[in-house]
Amino acid sequence: MSKNYLDIVSERIMIDTIGMRIGNVDPARLPKKFAQVGSDDDAKWAKGSLETEASKQSLEVRAIKSKREFNITGSPAFHRQGHNIISSNDLPMLAFAAVQDLNRELGLDVKYWSAAEFAKGRGIHMTRIDTPVLVGVPSGISSADAINAMALACIAAGNNTSIYIGQSVYFDQNSQPASLKAYDKEVEISRRRRWKLPKSSNADKLRELAGKTIRLEAVFRQKYLQRWFKERPLEPAQLTPEVLAEMFLELFDRYTLKRDIRKALNEEEMLAVPRRFRPALSHWQAGFNVRKMLGGNETEYSRCHAFLKNMYCLLYTSPSPRDGLLSRMPSSA
């Protein structure tokens, strides 16, 4: 991965929806404005929410009495700005802002010494984070064309894909650890009820920005965060812009849009492949058992497979050009 490329993404990545937990609180003292749910005192929890000036829900807090904790979800940037077309990449600041707004408007009774830790990005357990990046639409085509083309390429490449034609495309939409989506923010603004940009001198520029870009957004949930960091709890201070960019690029890299090779490479194309990997590619194209043809050398077999998969989306278990599209090579090939 190019360090320069990582730097560019870390500068442009944003933070939208977050999920977090705050422990060592006293939910029993919540104000009456909270909705009470559940009959068992040990399991009872309460919830409250905040809205933007346009009456759109932006932040929600749930209090779990048995665990003495608050669960918070929502978009701090959306709550404070009235939109999420652009937002900060400073997670400690946004997490602190969410707690501050909920504490002030709903009376959570969060103590000042806890708030001091929150401001430093500590004392909060992150359970979700959505990180969008705005991508320019190629010249000469519309956002709808780009989204539809992306969806078709994903389907052809064998990725799990869901599409709302001309509006959005989802990769692994129902994945629990993490998922990726691309959508037209301008369409969302124009079609969603009660979604209006706040009146300001920048409103027209924001609308123009939404119309000229596609929003590529990664959603990282608790399972993914636990696997990535291999520790608990995960605090906002650990999720720097550079770390968020690395996570984003790692997820993005999973969704190659290249198709499997379905025809034999010609001489010129074969010569473009590094000499070391040509034998494995030639054996596969001929329909031979690649592992056997490499003399059972597992290290070389794995190395060649990794290179050909990354560069050409070639899997040894895919049908070779000789066998045709409907046949399958033996699982041991």
PDB file of all heavy atoms in Angstrom, residues 111-125:
ATOM      1  N   LYS A 111     -20.486  12.920  35.196  1.00  0.00           N
ATOM      2  CA  LYS A 111     -19.651  13.743  36.076  1.00  0.00           C
ATOM      3  C   LYS A 111     -18.540  14.444  35.293  1.00  0.00           C
ATOM      4  O   LYS A 111     -18.090  13.964  34.255  1.00  0.00           O
ATOM      5  CB  LYS A 111     -19.026  12.874  37.166  1.00  0.00           C
ATOM      6  CG  LYS A 111     -20.052  12.071  37.962  1.00  0.00           C
ATOM      7  CD  LYS A 111     -21.089  12.972  38.623  1.00  0.00           C
ATOM      8  CE  LYS A 111     -22.068  12.143  39.433  1.00  0.00           C
ATOM      9  NZ  LYS A 111     -23.139  12.989  40.035  1.00  0.00           N
ATOM     10  N   TYR A 112     -18.097  15.573  35.814  1.00  0.00           N
ATOM     11  CA  TYR A 112     -17.125  16.388  35.101  1.00  0.00           C
ATOM     12  C   TYR A 112     -15.793  15.672  34.948  1.00  0.00           C
ATOM     13  O   TYR A 112     -15.078  15.858  33.958  1.00  0.00           O
ATOM     14  CB  TYR A 112     -16.932  17.740  35.808  1.00  0.00           C
ATOM     15  CG  TYR A 112     -16.167  17.669  37.099  1.00  0.00           C
ATOM     16  CD1 TYR A 112     -14.774  17.769  37.123  1.00  0.00           C
ATOM     17  CD2 TYR A 112     -16.831  17.515  38.318  1.00  0.00           C
ATOM     18  CE1 TYR A 112     -14.076  17.710  38.308  1.00  0.00           C
ATOM     19  CE2 TYR A 112     -16.132  17.447  39.509  1.00  0.00           C
ATOM     20  CZ  TYR A 112     -14.756  17.544  39.507  1.00  0.00           C
ATOM     21  OH  TYR A 112     -14.071  17.478  40.679  1.00  0.00           O
ATOM     22  N   TRP A 113     -15.411  14.813  35.931  1.00  0.00           N
ATOM     23  CA  TRP A 113     -14.135  14.112  35.809  1.00  0.00           C
ATOM     24  C   TRP A 113     -14.185  13.057  34.690  1.00  0.00           C
ATOM     25  O   TRP A 113     -13.181  12.797  34.048  1.00  0.00           O
ATOM     26  CB  TRP A 113     -13.726  13.472  37.137  1.00  0.00           C
ATOM     27  CG  TRP A 113     -14.768  12.581  37.751  1.00  0.00           C
ATOM     28  CD1 TRP A 113     -15.029  11.271  37.449  1.00  0.00           C
ATOM     29  CD2 TRP A 113     -15.695  12.955  38.781  1.00  0.00           C
ATOM     30  NE1 TRP A 113     -16.046  10.794  38.212  1.00  0.00           N
ATOM     31  CE2 TRP A 113     -16.475  11.800  39.053  1.00  0.00           C
ATOM     32  CE3 TRP A 113     -15.936  14.126  39.508  1.00  0.00           C
ATOM     33  CZ2 TRP A 113     -17.490  11.807  40.019  1.00  0.00           C
ATOM     34  CZ3 TRP A 113     -16.934  14.119  40.461  1.00  0.00           C
ATOM     35  CH2 TRP A 113     -17.704  12.978  40.711  1.00  0.00           C
ATOM     36  N   SER A 114     -15.379  12.498  34.451  1.00  0.00           N
ATOM     37  CA  SER A 114     -15.527  11.583  33.318  1.00  0.00           C
ATOM     38  C   SER A 114     -15.432  12.353  32.011  1.00  0.00           C
ATOM     39  O   SER A 114     -14.801  11.899  31.043  1.00  0.00           O
ATOM     40  CB  SER A 114     -16.875  10.857  33.392  1.00  0.00           C
ATOM     41  OG  SER A 114     -16.937  10.014  34.517  1.00  0.00           O
ATOM     42  N   ALA A 115     -16.066  13.535  31.965  1.00  0.00           N
ATOM     43  CA  ALA A 115     -16.029  14.355  30.756  1.00  0.00           C
ATOM     44  C   ALA A 115     -14.602  14.740  30.389  1.00  0.00           C
ATOM     45  O   ALA A 115     -14.244  14.815  29.216  1.00  0.00           O
ATOM     46  CB  ALA A 115     -16.885  15.604  30.951  1.00  0.00           C
ATOM     47  N   ALA A 116     -13.768  14.974  31.401  1.00  0.00           N
ATOM     48  CA  ALA A 116     -12.375  15.337  31.136  1.00  0.00           C
ATOM     49  C   ALA A 116     -11.642  14.189  30.436  1.00  0.00           C
ATOM     50  O   ALA A 116     -10.819  14.415  29.545  1.00  0.00           O
ATOM     51  CB  ALA A 116     -11.668  15.694  32.444  1.00  0.00           C
ATOM     52  N   GLU A 117     -11.940  12.953  30.818  1.00  0.00           N
ATOM     53  CA  GLU A 117     -11.345  11.797  30.165  1.00  0.00           C
ATOM     54  C   GLU A 117     -11.891  11.634  28.747  1.00  0.00           C
ATOM     55  O   GLU A 117     -11.153  11.317  27.815  1.00  0.00           O
ATOM     56  CB  GLU A 117     -11.624  10.526  30.977  1.00  0.00           C
ATOM     57  CG  GLU A 117     -10.811  10.389  32.237  1.00  0.00           C
ATOM     58  CD  GLU A 117      -9.334  10.232  31.932  1.00  0.00           C
ATOM     59  OE1 GLU A 117      -8.935   9.160  31.442  1.00  0.00           O
ATOM     60  OE2 GLU A 117      -8.566  11.190  32.165  1.00  0.00           O
ATOM     61  N   PHE A 118     -13.206  11.862  28.592  1.00  0.00           N
ATOM     62  CA  PHE A 118     -13.820  11.739  27.274  1.00  0.00           C
ATOM     63  C   PHE A 118     -13.193  12.713  26.281  1.00  0.00           C
ATOM     64  O   PHE A 118     -13.004  12.396  25.106  1.00  0.00           O
ATOM     65  CB  PHE A 118     -15.326  12.002  27.358  1.00  0.00           C
ATOM     66  CG  PHE A 118     -16.083  11.040  28.238  1.00  0.00           C
ATOM     67  CD1 PHE A 118     -17.348  11.360  28.703  1.00  0.00           C
ATOM     68  CD2 PHE A 118     -15.531   9.823  28.594  1.00  0.00           C
ATOM     69  CE1 PHE A 118     -18.043  10.479  29.508  1.00  0.00           C
ATOM     70  CE2 PHE A 118     -16.221   8.928  29.401  1.00  0.00           C
ATOM     71  CZ  PHE A 118     -17.478   9.261  29.862  1.00  0.00           C
ATOM     72  N   ALA A 119     -12.877  13.905  26.746  1.00  0.00           N
ATOM     73  CA  ALA A 119     -12.279  14.921  25.870  1.00  0.00           C
ATOM     74  C   ALA A 119     -10.910  14.489  25.355  1.00  0.00           C
ATOM     75  O   ALA A 119     -10.469  14.937  24.298  1.00  0.00           O
ATOM     76  CB  ALA A 119     -12.168  16.254  26.611  1.00  0.00           C
ATOM     77  N   LYS A 120     -10.262  13.585  26.080  1.00  0.00           N
ATOM     78  CA  LYS A 120      -8.956  13.071  25.661  1.00  0.00           C
ATOM     79  C   LYS A 120      -9.085  11.801  24.825  1.00  0.00           C
ATOM     80  O   LYS A 120      -8.080  11.218  24.432  1.00  0.00           O
ATOM     81  CB  LYS A 120      -8.104  12.780  26.895  1.00  0.00           C
ATOM     82  CG  LYS A 120      -7.821  13.997  27.757  1.00  0.00           C
ATOM     83  CD  LYS A 120      -7.076  13.596  29.030  1.00  0.00           C
ATOM     84  CE  LYS A 120      -6.871  14.786  29.952  1.00  0.00           C
ATOM     85  NZ  LYS A 120      -6.211  14.382  31.218  1.00  0.00           N
ATOM     86  N   GLY A 121     -10.319  11.387  24.588  1.00  0.00           N
ATOM     87  CA  GLY A 121     -10.532  10.171  23.815  1.00  0.00           C
ATOM     88  C   GLY A 121     -10.407   8.906  24.624  1.00  0.00           C
ATOM     89  O   GLY A 121     -10.171   7.829  24.072  1.00  0.00           O
ATOM     90  N   ARG A 122     -10.592   9.005  25.936  1.00  0.00           N
ATOM     91  CA  ARG A 122     -10.483   7.848  26.817  1.00  0.00           C
ATOM     92  C   ARG A 122     -11.780   7.645  27.602  1.00  0.00           C
ATOM     93  O   ARG A 122     -12.599   8.545  27.722  1.00  0.00           O
ATOM     94  CB  ARG A 122      -9.305   8.020  27.785  1.00  0.00           C
ATOM     95  CG  ARG A 122      -7.955   8.170  27.104  1.00  0.00           C
ATOM     96  CD  ARG A 122      -6.822   7.889  28.085  1.00  0.00           C
ATOM     97  NE  ARG A 122      -6.762   8.914  29.124  1.00  0.00           N
ATOM     98  CZ  ARG A 122      -5.909   9.936  29.116  1.00  0.00           C
ATOM     99  NH1 ARG A 122      -5.056  10.081  28.111  1.00  0.00           N
ATOM    100  NH2 ARG A 122      -5.909  10.814  30.101  1.00  0.00           N
ATOM    101  N   GLY A 123     -11.951   6.432  28.151  1.00  0.00           N
ATOM    102  CA  GLY A 123     -13.108   6.152  28.987  1.00  0.00           C
ATOM    103  C   GLY A 123     -14.379   5.824  28.224  1.00  0.00           C
ATOM    104  O   GLY A 123     -15.449   5.701  28.820  1.00  0.00           O
ATOM    105  N   ILE A 124     -14.292   5.685  26.903  1.00  0.00           N
ATOM    106  CA  ILE A 124     -15.439   5.350  26.052  1.00  0.00           C
ATOM    107  C   ILE A 124     -15.106   4.085  25.272  1.00  0.00           C
ATOM    108  O   ILE A 124     -13.990   3.937  24.768  1.00  0.00           O
ATOM    109  CB  ILE A 124     -15.763   6.501  25.078  1.00  0.00           C
ATOM    110  CG1 ILE A 124     -16.273   7.720  25.840  1.00  0.00           C
ATOM    111  CG2 ILE A 124     -16.804   6.067  24.055  1.00  0.00           C
ATOM    112  CD1 ILE A 124     -16.487   8.947  24.967  1.00  0.00           C
ATOM    113  N   HIS A 125     -16.069   3.181  25.166  1.00  0.00           N
ATOM    114  CA  HIS A 125     -15.880   1.932  24.417  1.00  0.00           C
ATOM    115  C   HIS A 125     -16.606   2.059  23.090  1.00  0.00           C
ATOM    116  O   HIS A 125     -17.833   2.160  23.041  1.00  0.00           O
ATOM    117  CB  HIS A 125     -16.452   0.761  25.235  1.00  0.00           C
ATOM    118  CG  HIS A 125     -16.270  -0.568  24.560  1.00  0.00           C
ATOM    119  ND1 HIS A 125     -16.874  -1.717  25.020  1.00  0.00           N
ATOM    120  CD2 HIS A 125     -15.556  -0.931  23.467  1.00  0.00           C
ATOM    121  CE1 HIS A 125     -16.542  -2.734  24.229  1.00  0.00           C
ATOM    122  NE2 HIS A 125     -15.755  -2.281  23.285  1.00  0.00           N
TER     123      HIS A 125
END
